[in-house]
Amino acid sequence: AKIEQTAGGKAFRDLLAAGTPLVFDGGMGTSLYEQGILHTRAFEEANLTSPGKVKSIHASFIQAGANVIETNTFSANRYCLQRFGIDNVAEINAAGVRIAREAATEAGKGTLIAGAVGPTGEGSGFIDEDKSTDISDAFRAQIKALVEAGVDIVVLETFQYLSEMRIALDVTKELFQGPIIASMSFSDEPAATNFYPPAKVAQLLRRWGADVVGVNCGGGWGRVGEGGPSALYDVAEEMVKEVGSSVPVYACPNAGHPKRVGHRCVYMATSEYFLVYAKRLFKAGVRMVGGCCGTRPEHVEAIASAARMFGGGSVTLVASEAPKAGPTVARMDKAASVALDPVPVGQRTGLSAKIWRIWEQRLAGGTRRQAPLGPEDFVVSVEVNPVPGLSTAKPVATARKLRKGGVDVINIADGPRATVRMCNSALAEAVQREVGCETILHMCCRDRNLLGLMSDLLGNHARGLHNMVVITGDPPKMGDYPKATAVFDVDSIGLLRIIKGLNSGLDPAGKSFDAQARFFCATGAEPGAVDYEREMRRLQEKIEAGADLIMTQPVYDAEVMRKFLKDVAALSRPIPVLLGLCPLVSARNAEFLHNEVPGMSVPQEIRDRMARAGGGPAGQAEGVAIAREMLAEFADQVVGCYVMPQLGKYDLALEVLSGLGYGKEDSEARRDAGRATDASAA
């Protein structure tokens, strides 16, 4: 009879249904080797001979933030153990589950237990009926011991041969009603997967009964000799694109490809590098990320930091109630009776007044398409960031020039690309004081805990900085400050809820505040996101949390933007959109954005155009022409645009906008034509 799923197995399936990102643990074998257990013995035998070491490794991964730990049973099948003269399969597997369960119970975080099952080593070549039966019997003995000992999940991992994976899946389904993860390891032997690429493999694994499909350990498809985060990202992204959000995808890369240093093999990928790729994996739609060979607690800690950006990482998995995805910091229900009606959006700031006038008059709340006349009924935001150092002179001069050219608002990022700059509020205050131009500040969740975020919000409001772009933020990167840590007490949705409360006179605890804020909040969106369904689902949550304006990432494909605007119009509460424009400056720049920046896609046709133009003035002119085409295509559907000039080339922003009357002698006057009406509204 099948073993029923545990309470943990049910919780795991509930989390899959909710879309919550989950963190798996790191490399058990690596950790045991570092504790003096040599590869001349079976690592799984340590469950009997050194249970304290195994338990301490589990505890270190839980402490680092793992939601799921895998038992030390990867090679605890008859074939692998016999190579070391060991035959007590059931005892070793049961001990592995018991040790993991003890570590999880002592940690008190509701950590789930996954029974780790690896290949037998007999999967290559032709598998006849007799050999298939022998392999099935080996898996059956191991998996039966794991599920009878009470694992929440069975994870079949590092399988290179599809034929052996199918045998393992069949046996697991025969014995277990709980969730099953099937994870392949792609090698330089394409025959192992019948020459099927990752997308086809993902389809087959799902068809054969896996609840979760994925990739771990070895090199990426077509990338021989690589096994680190970059190679695994390519494979996992292809799987996500194939199965969509209907089938969760799992990815556990090695800590790079091992290199020989002296007499040791060393995994070179740092935890900072892992953080970058963990974020990319979650952003691409991968739902579970962990580590394989060479990964230690610091790598898992980096993954947990990335997971918190997407509403996961710190969830308690086994609870009396099914957990909900996303942060739950800002609760308003206790003080709902004293909440004030927020100031109408069109009356909060000068920027919000103009946007709402255009939204209601020119676009009829998103129900009408009408081209703008010029700066008088079109909003332009240009990104100008603090330069390294102590002076605001250069960016203030740039803001003055842009304002004279008709630009409405200066957009100032918050530590873009996790670099160290002057705080954006200091530059914003200087711009508003010295130029008389409104600013819109990025408010990033990465660098401040909840107290710090609240302090900045209150201070910004007191200084007249009321326009905000609320973002989760990039993770700290490798560079001058590799030990910088990400905080992420809340993500962008949680911070929007907090600001929504402040606008209603409530603090994050739901208590009455001594005043009522009038923040105007925008949020970011990626029309070209790999996991588009998730992007739109989160956008809906952001709007419900208090966002009143969408600012898109740059888009170079008209079809992508057309679909996005159509889907925004179909939301339960459509809100205005600023079209993101980032003028390309060279062919090399176009290739970099397409290949290296997550969420950015530059169609081949556009890259070919930039290649023909080359670099220098000709490349810049072609980049301006491409941006103008996107603007002309969608100006009648958006309230304005958000221009992100590259490499300090702010003149290109005005060139892109010149067809709408920007950069002219009368640009300021036309922009300010409706200012009296907007000012009275605000």
Side-chain angles (χ1 to χ4, degrees):
K2 283 188 179 183
I3 301 296
E4 294 184 359
Q5 73 174 353
T6 63
K10 181 181 183 304
F12 181 75
R13 282 186 163 139
D14 289 342
L15 288 162
L16 295 185
T20 305
L22 296 175
V23 180
F24 275 63
D25 60 4
M28 174 61 74
T30 301
S31 300
L32 286 170
Y33 185 81
E34 290 178 344
Q35 293 209 20
I37 297 178
L38 301 181
H39 63 276
T40 53
R41 303 299 303 269
F43 285 137
E44 294 74 17
E45 189 182 19
N47 294 339
L48 304 179
T49 60
S50 302
K53 291 183 177 180
V54 177
K55 184 175 175 180
S56 70
I57 293 167
H58 286 316
S60 69
F61 285 130
I62 296 171
Q63 181 63 32
N67 304 131
V68 183
I69 57 173
E70 296 185 18
T71 56
N72 179 37
T73 56
F74 174 75
S75 294
N77 62 72
R78 169 168 51 85
Y79 284 106
C80 293
L81 292 178
Q82 280 179 349
R83 297 179 188 124
F84 296 93
I86 301 170
D87 59 7
N88 48 343
V89 171
E91 184 182 9
I92 286 176
N93 280 278
V97 179
R98 184 181 64 255
I99 295 166
R101 184 67 70 190
E102 287 175 0
T105 300
E106 290 174 11
K109 297 183 178 181
T111 311
L112 301 183
I113 309 302
V117 178
T120 61
E122 300 295 318
S124 62
F126 175 70
I127 299 180
D128 60 21
E129 187 175 347
D130 290 340
K131 187 175 182 182
S132 177
T133 299
D134 286 345
I135 293 173
S136 294
D137 289 344
F139 282 134
R140 187 172 290 104
Q142 179 184 11
I143 295 168
K144 185 173 186 289
L146 290 171
V147 299
E148 287 182 346
V151 295
D152 302 310
I153 307 155
V154 170
V155 55
L156 310 173
E157 60 183 355
T158 327
F159 281 70
Q160 292 191 8
Y161 296 94
L162 271 177
S163 54
E164 188 178 23
M165 173 61 87
R166 186 166 191 177
I167 293 171
L169 271 169
D170 286 344
V171 170
T172 308
K173 289 191 299 176
E174 168 194 319
L175 296 171
F176 188 47
Q177 293 182 354
I180 305 169
I181 298 172
S183 178
M184 298 294 292
S185 176
F186 293 89
S187 70
D188 57 352
E189 186 181 346
T193 57
N194 298 334
F195 298 91
Y196 292 146
K200 178 65 174 178
V201 170
Q203 279 186 339
L204 291 173
L205 296 179
R206 180 56 173 167
R207 188 183 307 164
W208 294 341
D211 295 272
V212 177
V213 302
V215 57
N216 74 287
C217 194
W221 178 258
R223 296 175 63 168
V224 178
E226 297 185 49
S230 176
L232 268 286
Y233 172 81
D234 291 343
V235 174
E237 183 183 38
E238 187 175 335
M239 286 183 163
V240 170
K241 287 179 178 178
E242 180 63 29
V243 301
S245 59
S246 61
V247 182
V249 174
Y250 156 104
C252 291
N254 293 340
H257 193 66
K259 298 183 184 297
R260 184 165 291 280
V261 178
H263 297 288
R264 297 183 63 194
C265 282
V266 179
Y267 288 88
M268 305 297 288
T270 66
S271 57
E272 290 80 14
Y273 182 69
F274 235 70
L275 174 60
V276 171
Y277 271 93
K279 181 195 173 187
R280 291 185 175 186
L281 286 163
F282 283 128
K283 196 170 189 178
V286 174
R287 301 266 285 282
M288 283 145 275
V289 179
C292 200
C293 303
T295 53
R296 299 173 177 81
E298 56 264 32
H299 296 94
V300 173
E301 188 174 359
I303 297 168
S305 178
R308 287 195 293 274
M309 299 172 62
F310 297 88
S314 59
V315 292
T316 299
L317 299 183
V318 182
S320 57
E321 296 180 5
K324 297 180 180 180
T328 56
V329 174
R331 292 184 57 87
M332 307 302 173
D333 50 314
K334 291 184 180 179
S337 59
V338 297
L340 304 174
D341 290 334
V343 174
V345 178
Q347 298 176 21
R348 294 180 193 171
T349 69
L351 175 64
S352 73
K354 182 173 181 179
I355 286 175
W356 233 247
R357 170 170 59 84
I358 295 169
W359 177 243
E360 293 178 345
Q361 295 179 15
R362 176 162 68 83
L363 299 178
T367 62
R368 179 172 63 216
R369 295 179 61 168
Q370 182 174 315
L373 299 173
E376 57 265 46
D377 63 350
F378 196 74
V379 171
V380 172
S381 169
V382 178
E383 185 169 307
V384 179
N385 293 320
V387 295
L390 302 175
S391 175
T392 62
K394 187 174 180 179
V396 165
T398 298
R400 185 174 289 111
K401 180 179 181 179
L402 292 169
R403 176 170 171 73
K404 187 175 180 180
V407 169
D408 293 276
V409 62
I410 300 300
N411 188 302
I412 309 177
D414 187 6
R417 296 174 298 280
T419 56
V420 174
R421 305 283 179 92
M422 176 189 301
C423 67
N424 59 357
S425 60
L427 176 57
E429 192 171 17
V431 168
Q432 295 197 169
R433 181 182 64 247
E434 299 177 33
V435 181
C437 181
E438 272 193 273
T439 59
I440 182 166
L441 295 184
H442 287 217
M443 195 73 177
C444 172
C445 302
R446 175 193 61 228
D447 304 320
R448 309 163 187 82
N449 64 13
L450 183 58
L451 294 175
L453 288 169
M454 276 297 298
S455 178
D456 282 353
L457 284 169
L458 299 179
N460 288 341
H461 198 277
R463 289 184 286 173
L465 306 176
H466 298 167
N467 299 311
M468 298 286 162
V469 185
V470 178
I471 61 172
T472 300
D474 296 318
K477 66 172 187 175
M478 296 172 63
D480 294 335
Y481 302 92
K483 294 187 179 299
T485 56
V487 181
F488 299 120
D489 276 359
V490 293
D491 66 357
S492 57
I493 296 171
L495 185 54
L496 282 165
R497 290 180 182 138
I498 291 172
I499 297 174
K500 184 178 182 180
L502 293 177
N503 283 346
S504 298
L506 302 175
D507 71 8
K511 298 178 182 178
S512 285
F513 216 51
D514 65 352
Q516 183 176 12
R518 50 196 307 148
F519 285 113
F520 174 56
C521 290
T523 188
E526 286 188 16
V530 173
D531 190 348
Y532 182 75
E533 291 181 17
R534 179 184 180 278
E535 184 73 9
M536 294 306 297
R537 185 171 62 249
R538 280 183 62 83
L539 179 58
Q540 177 66 51
E541 291 177 5
K542 291 175 184 179
I543 293 171
E544 292 171 355
D548 290 305
L549 175 68
I550 298 167
M551 300 175 71
T552 77
Q553 288 283 5
V555 180
Y556 300 93
D557 188 329
E559 284 301 318
V560 168
M561 192 64 195
R562 197 170 289 119
K563 173 176 172 52
F564 177 75
L565 290 175
K566 180 180 178 181
D567 291 342
V568 168
L571 293 174
S572 58
R573 183 172 77 90
I575 61 175
V577 174
L578 287 187
L579 171 67
L581 298 173
C582 182
L584 300 169
V585 296
S586 67
R588 182 179 178 183
N589 173 233
E591 291 293 341
F592 174 81
L593 292 178
H594 180 73
N595 293 301
E596 302 296 334
V597 179
M600 188 81 76
S601 176
V602 182
Q604 186 65 51
E605 176 188 356
I606 300 297
R607 285 181 280 147
D608 289 344
R609 285 177 59 177
M610 293 303 297
R612 289 192 293 269
Q620 293 174 24
E622 188 66 16
V624 167
I626 291 167
R628 281 177 176 169
E629 291 166 12
M630 287 295 293
L631 181 58
E633 177 74 22
F634 297 106
D636 62 347
Q637 299 178 65
V638 297
V639 294
C641 66
Y642 164 36
V643 187
M644 293 154 270
Q646 300 185 80
L647 308 177
K649 299 185 182 300
Y650 295 102
D651 288 340
L652 298 185
L654 295 177
E655 287 185 38
V656 169
L657 299 162
S658 62
L660 281 174
Y662 290 84
K664 314 293 184 184
E665 290 186 4
D666 64 344
S667 297
E668 277 192 288
R670 294 182 65 184
R671 179 199 61 216
D672 297 340
R675 178 172 293 249
T677 302
D678 295 336
S680 64

